[in-house]
C-alpha cells in the first residue's frame, strides 16, 4: 500500500510539473447511461481531481459559459455553394459574472443575432474579431445575465474549408451534385458559429432543405422528412463540435443487418456492403471487450474519392474513403478503427488536441484488438509490424522532437501536428506495453471501466494517468514504474520498453526479398502465390534501391503499375518515384487525378518533390487541385512550397 501511495503521488506530481498549462479541476461525477449490471463492472475509483489543459485552438470562453445544444435550420444551396439559414444555441453560465459568449467562426457571413429574453427574441450586440488564418474569427456576443438562447442567422462561404461541394461531373453518377463535410479538427467553425473545442459537448438537431432527388445525412439519428418537406435530424447524446457532419447527394442505402448498413452512390453500393459485411462482428467484438455500443445505429457512408481521409468517426455514421473497397476485405482495419472511435474518441474524448493520442492511440489499439478477434493473431501482428515501421519513419521525420511526445507541447502550431503516427502508433504501443505488463485479464476490464467512468466526457492525458493510478496501478503496484510511464507520455521518440511486433509471415517475406534482390532467385520465383495485401506491403515498403531493370522485372511479373488495391498501388508508386521508374508515371498521374485521400497523396507529392520531380508534381497538382478537398489543397500547397 505504501508503495502504491508513493507511486501515485509521484506520478501526479510529475504530470503536474511536466505540464505548465495543466491545473487540477474539481471532479465531476461520471455520467453513464448504462447501468452497472449491464456493464458488469466493479465500480471504478474516481481520482480526487480532474486535470485541465487549455485548448489553444479555440476563442471560446468555455470555462465561463458553455454551449449545450445547437438547433440548425439550413438550406443546402448547391447553386451558391453555401449553407444558408440559422442556428439557435442554448448555453449555460459556469461563472456568474460572464456577460459575453465567445464563439468560433471562420469565413461565415453573420446576418442577424438575437437573444431570447422575457420580451421574446430581441436583437443582440455582437462583434467579430480579426481573422486568423488558422483559427478564424472570434464572435463575441453580449448575452447579459439572463438569456439562455441566442439565434444567429448566417451563411457559410463557398470556400469553407470544412465543406466540399462537388459538381455532378465530379460524382460517379454524373447527374447530381454532392456535398460533404469534414469538421475535425478546426472546421466545424466554417459550418456554423460554435464553441469549436473538444472540451465542450453538446446535443444537436437539424432541419435541412435540399433539392429534390438528393438524400441528406448527418452524424445523428435520421428522423425523416417533416410535413413541410424539411429533413429532420437529432443527436441526443452530447458530442464535441468536431463530430458534427453532413453529406448530401444521390445516395442509396443497403442494410447489413438491422442496426448496421452502408450508404453510397449506386455504383459502389453492393461492393461496399460486401466489403464491410463483417462490421456487425466488429461491433460484437468491441462490445464484448469494452462495453455496450451507446449510439443506436451504426452506418457507414462511402464518399466520393476526394474524401481526404481513410475514414472519419462521425457518430452513428462513419465517413469512409472508397479506396477501401478492394474486393477482398484486406483494408477493413479502417472500419474497425472508425467503429472503435465509438468508445475511444466519441464516448471518451480528448479535451484538447495536445491529448490527441487519447483519441487516436486508444483507437488504434482497440482497432488492432478487434482485428485480432476477427482475423486472428497473424494479421493483427502484421498490421502492428507495418505500423511500427511507419512510426519509426514518422519519428525520424518529425518537424520538432517535441512532436514525438504523446502529450504534445503547448506551442504546437496546428492540430495537424497532433495527427501523426506518434499519436496513433506510439499511443497504441503505450497501451500494448501496459497490456503486456498488466496482462489482458486485468487490462481489458480496466479499459472498459475507463470508458464507462468517463462516458460522454472530455478528458486529458493526466486524467487517464490519474485514473490508472487509482485503479489498475493500485491493484498491481509493481507492474510498471513511474519512469516507464513518463518515458512513454512525456518523453520523445520510442521508449526502450516498446514491443517489437513479430510476424513469421513477414520474416519469410524479408528472406525471400533478400534472395531476389541479391540475384539468387528471379521475381517469378518469389513465393507470392498466397501473399496477402499485408505481405505485399511489407515486401514493397522494405525494398532497397532498385535498378530500372529490377523495377521492370517486378512490374512485368506482377503487373504492379495500375494495380487496383489502393494501398499496394501507393506502396509501388512510392518505390517508382524513389527509383525513377518512368513506366509507372502515367499510372501514378492517373492515381493522383482520381484519389484525394491524404495518406496517399501527401506522401506521393512529397516524394516527387524530394526526388527531383518538382515540375511533374506542380503540373499534376495544377490539374488535380480543383477536384481535391480544400483541406488537401492547402496541405499539398504547403508541401510543394517547400
Ligand atoms: N479521426 C481520424 C481522421 C482525422 C484525423 C480527421 C485528423 C481530421 C484530422 C480517423 O479516425 C482516422 O484516423 N482515419 C485514418 C484511418 C486509420 C485506420 C488510421 C485515416 O484517415 O487514414
Ligand atoms: Zn482515428
Amino acid at each position: 500500500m505504501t508503495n502504491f501511495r508513493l507511486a501515485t503521488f509521484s506520478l501526479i506530481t510529475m504530470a503536474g510539473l511536466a505540464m505548465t498549462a495543466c491545473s487540477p479541476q474539481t471532479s465531476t461525477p461520471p455520467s453513464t447511461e448504462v447501468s452497472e449490471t449491464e456493464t458488469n463492472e466493479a465500480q471504478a475509483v474516481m481520482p480526487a481531481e480532474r486535470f485541465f489543459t487549455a485548448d489553444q485552438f479555440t476563442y471560446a470562453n468555455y470555462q465561463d459559459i458553455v454551449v449545450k445544444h445547437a438547433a440548425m435550420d439550413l438550406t443546402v444551396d448547391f447553386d451558391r455553394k453555401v449553407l444558408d439559414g440559422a442556428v439557435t444555441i442554448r448555453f449555460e453560465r459556469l461563472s456568474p459574472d460572464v456577460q459575453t459568449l465567445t464563439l468560433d467562426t471562420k469565413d461565415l457571413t453573420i446576418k442577424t443575432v438575437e437573444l431570447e429574453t422575457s420580451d421574446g427574441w430581441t436583437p443582440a450586440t455582437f462583434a467579430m474579431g480579426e481573422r486568423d488564418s488558422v483559427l478564424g474569427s472570434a464572435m463575441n456576443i453580449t448575452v447579459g445575465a439572463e438569456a439562455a438562447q441566442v439565434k444567429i442567422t448566417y451563411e457559410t462561404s463557398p470556400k469553407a474549408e470544412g465543406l466540399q461541394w462537388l459538381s455532378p461531373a465530379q460524382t460517379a453518377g454524373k447527374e447530381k451534385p454532392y456535398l460533404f463535410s469534414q469538421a475535425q479538427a478546426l472546421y466545424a467553425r466554417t459550418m456554423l458559429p460554435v464553441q469549436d473545442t473538444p472540451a465542450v459537448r453538446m446535443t444537436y438537431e437539424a432541419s435541412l432543405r435540399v433539392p429534390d432527388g438528393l438524400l441528406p445525412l448527418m452524424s445523428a439519428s435520421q428522423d425523416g422528412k417533416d410535413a413541410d418537406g424539411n429533413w429532420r435530424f437529432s443527436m441526443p447524446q452530447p458530442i464535441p463540435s468536431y463530430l458534427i457532419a453532413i453529406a448530401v447527394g444521390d445516395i442509396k442505402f443497403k442494410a447489413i443487418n438491422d442496426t448496421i448498413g452502408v450508404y453510397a452512390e449506386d455504383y459502389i453500393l453492393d461492393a461496399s456492403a460486401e466489403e464491410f459485411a463483417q462490421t456487425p462482428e466488429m461491433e460484437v467484438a468491441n462490445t464484448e471487450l469494452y462495453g455496450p455500443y451507446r449510439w443506436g445505429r451504426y452506418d457507414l457512408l462511402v464518399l466520393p474519392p476526394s474524401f481526404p481521409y481513410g475514414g472519419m468517426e462521425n457518430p452513428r455514421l462513419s465517413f469512409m474513403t472508397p479506396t477501401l473497397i478492394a474486393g477482398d476485405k484486406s483494408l477493413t482495419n479502417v472500419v474497425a478503427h472508425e467503429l472503435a472511435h465509438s468508445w475511444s474518441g466519441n464516448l471518451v474524448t480528448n479535451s484538447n488536441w495536445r491529448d490527441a493520442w487519447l483519441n487516436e492511440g486508444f483507437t488504434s489499439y482497440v482497432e488492432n484488438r478487434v482485428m485480432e478477434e476477427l482475423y486472428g493473431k497473424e494479421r493483427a501482428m502484421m498490421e502492428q509490424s507495418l505500423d511500427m515501421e511507419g512510426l519509426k519513419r514518422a519519428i525520424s521525420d518529425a518537424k520538432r522532437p517535441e512532436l514525438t511526445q504523446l502529450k504534445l507541447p503547448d506551442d504546437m502550431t496546428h492540430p495537424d501536428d497532433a495527427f501523426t503516427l506518434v499519436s496513433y502508433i506510439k499511443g497504441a504501443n503505450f497501451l500494448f506495453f501496459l497490456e503486456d505488463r498488466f496482462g489482458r485479464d486485468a487490462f481489458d476490464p480496466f479499459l472498459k471501466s475507463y470508458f464507462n467512468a468517463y462516458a460522454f466526457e472530455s478528458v486529458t492525458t493526466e486524467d487517464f494517468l490519474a485514473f490508472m493510478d487509482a485503479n489498475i496501478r493500485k491493484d498491481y503496484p509493481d507492474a510498471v514504474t513511474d519512469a516507464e510511464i513518463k518515458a512513454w507520455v512525456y518523453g520523445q521518440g520510442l521508449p526502450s520498453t516498446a514491443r517489437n511486433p513479430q510476424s513469421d509471415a513477414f520474416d519469410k517475406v524479408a528472406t525471400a526479398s533478400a534472395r531476389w534482390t541479391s540475384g539468387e532467385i528471379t521475381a517469378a520465383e518469389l513465393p507470392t502465390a498466397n501473399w496477402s495485401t499485408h505481405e505485399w506491403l511489407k515486401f514493397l515498403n522494405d525494398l532497397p534501391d532498385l535498378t530500372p531493370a529490377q523495377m521492370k522485372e517486378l512490374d512485368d511479373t506482377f503487373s504492379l503499375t495500375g494495380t487496383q488495391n489502393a494501398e499496394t498501388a501507393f506502396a509501388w508508386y512510392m518505390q517508382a518515384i524513389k527509383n525513377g521508374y518512368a513506366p509507372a508515371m502515367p499510372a501514378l498521374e492517373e492515381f493522383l487525378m482520381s484519389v484525394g485521400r491524404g495518406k496517399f497523396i501527401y506522401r506521393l507529392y512529397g516524394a516527387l518533390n524530394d526526388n527531383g520531380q518538382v515540375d511533374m508534381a506542380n503540373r499534376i497538382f495544377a490539374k488535380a487541385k480543383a477536384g481535391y478537398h480544400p483541406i488537401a489543397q492547402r496541405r499539398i500547397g504547403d508541401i510543394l512550397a517547400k
Side-chain angles (χ1 to χ4, degrees), residues 16 39 85 178 184 216 226 248 264 322 326 337 363 387 390 420 484 527 529:
T39 61
Y178 202 110
Q184 197 180 16
D226 67 17
V248 184
H337 181 96
T363 296
D387 286 344
T420 68
E484 286 169 332

Side-chain angles (χ1 to χ4, degrees), residues 3 113 126 148 164 309 538 545:
N3 273 347
V113 182
F126 73 100
Q164 188 175 17
Y309 292 101
K538 167 76 181 168
D545 290 347

Side-chain angles (χ1 to χ4, degrees), residues 432 472 541:
F432 289 134
I472 197 167
N541 289 347

Side-chain angles (χ1 to χ4, degrees), residues 205-206 220-226 230-235 316:
E205 68 191 286
S221 145
Q222 327 281 338
D223 297 339
K225 227 179 187 178
D226 67 17
N230 297 332
W231 295 86
R232 311 290 307 218
F233 302 86
S234 54
M235 169 43 80
R316 291 177 195 231

Side-chain angles (χ1 to χ4, degrees), residues 92-330:
E92 271 174 28
R93 291 169 185 75
L94 300 180
S95 88
D97 307 328
V98 65
Q99 298 280 331
T100 305
L101 172 67
T102 303
L103 301 175
D104 295 296
T105 74
K106 196 172 187 187
D107 302 329
L108 300 179
T109 303
I110 306 293
K111 299 174 183 173
T112 64
V113 182
E114 292 168 287
L115 283 174
E116 192 182 40
T117 66
S118 45
D119 302 332
W121 289 99
T122 55
T125 308
F126 73 100
M128 304 299 291
E130 221 170 282
R131 183 184 190 274
D132 176 272
S133 64
V134 174
L135 300 181
S137 314
M139 178 179 188
N140 298 299
I141 308 170
T142 306
V143 292
E146 302 294 323
Q149 293 211 86
V150 60
K151 179 175 178 182
I152 303 164
T153 60
Y154 74 99
E155 67 181 43
T156 60
S157 160
K159 295 200 180 69
E161 288 156 283
L163 298 171
Q164 188 175 17
W165 300 85
L166 297 177
S167 68
Q170 291 173 298
T171 66
K174 309 277 176 223
E175 278 173 13
K176 291 173 184 159
Y178 202 110
L179 163 70
F180 67 87
S181 69
Q182 169 56 45
Q184 197 180 16
L186 301 183
Y187 305 113
R189 64 191 72 182
T190 72
M191 294 157 58
L192 74 163
V194 68
Q195 288 187 316
D196 202 6
T197 166
V200 173
R201 314 180 73 93
M202 63 191 170
T203 52
Y204 82 82
E205 68 191 286
S207 173
L208 299 181
R209 284 163 297 283
V210 307
D212 282 346
L214 295 183
L215 180 69
L217 298 169
M218 292 191 82
S219 54
S221 145
Q222 327 281 338
D223 297 339
K225 227 179 187 178
D226 67 17
D228 300 327
N230 297 332
W231 295 86
R232 311 290 307 218
F233 302 86
S234 54
M235 169 43 80
Q237 289 95 345
I239 57 160
S241 55
Y242 76 86
L243 295 177
I244 296 173
I246 178 174
V248 184
D250 188 3
I251 300 170
K252 302 286 191 290
F253 176 74
K254 187 165 182 176
I256 294 178
N257 70 10
D258 284 353
T259 57
I260 299 175
V262 178
Y263 290 96
E265 285 185 88
D266 217 15
Y267 84 104
I268 205 170
L269 184 65
D270 289 338
S272 301
E274 181 54 31
E275 197 82 30
F276 300 151
Q278 290 161 303
T279 310
E281 291 166 61
M282 291 180 175
E283 195 184 284
V284 169
N286 248 305
T287 298
E288 281 174 358
L289 282 167
Y290 303 119
Y293 177 79
R294 308 207 199 200
W295 305 89
R297 291 195 57 86
Y298 182 69
D299 296 315
L300 298 150
L301 169 63
V302 179
L303 287 143
S306 65
F307 182 59
Y309 292 101
M312 175 64 212
E313 66 269 28
N314 297 315
R316 291 177 195 231
L317 182 67
S318 288
F319 283 21
M320 310 302 282
T321 170
T323 60
L324 302 177
I325 314 303
D328 60 1
K329 302 184 173 66
S330 58

Side-chain angles (χ1 to χ4, degrees), residues 564-577:
Q564 285 310 296
N565 186 300
E567 291 280 355
T568 318
F570 165 68
W572 173 244
Y573 297 142
M574 287 297 286
Q575 292 299 332
I577 296 168

